[in-house]
Amino acid sequence: GTASDAGSMSGTSMAAPHVTGAIALLLSAREKQSRRDPRIAQLTAAQIRAALGQTSQNFNGRSTKAVGYGVLDVRALLARFGF
C-alpha cells in the first residue's frame, strides 16, 4: 500500500531471518577461511551466541519493547571473527 511497495516490519518474524542470515554469512566466511588453513576450528553455537550479544547494539541481556534483546550489527559480528 505504499508508493514504492515497501513497508516497515518489525518483531520476531523479521528478526529471526535477519539473525539467521547473519549467522549464515559468518559460517560461510569461516568455511572459506578454513579451506585455506585447515587448523582453523569450526565455530560452536556458544561462540556464535556470545558474539551476537557482544556485537549487538543496546544489548543488556533483557528484552525491551523498543529493541527486543538489541539491534544486530552484522558488520561488527563478522569483524569479531576477523572478517
Side-chain angles (χ1 to χ4, degrees):
T2 66
S4 64
D5 288 330
S8 175
M9 300 181 87
S10 63
T12 304
S13 61
M14 292 293 99
H18 188 70
V19 173
T20 302
I23 293 169
L25 287 172
L26 175 63
L27 294 175
S28 176
R30 188 65 166 220
E31 172 64 23
K32 288 178 186 176
Q33 186 183 48
S34 69
R35 278 192 230 135
R36 290 190 299 273
D37 185 353
R39 296 171 294 169
I40 295 173
Q42 183 177 18
L43 295 173
T44 66
Q47 288 172 311
I48 295 170
R49 185 183 191 289
L52 285 168
Q54 293 164 359
T55 59
S56 292
Q57 300 170 14
N58 301 317
F59 177 78
N60 65 6
R62 292 186 303 248
S63 181
T64 65
K65 189 168 181 112
V67 294
Y69 282 96
V71 178
L72 178 60
D73 185 338
V74 179
R75 186 177 304 208
L77 176 64
L78 294 174
R80 170 77 172 77
F81 292 98
F83 302 111

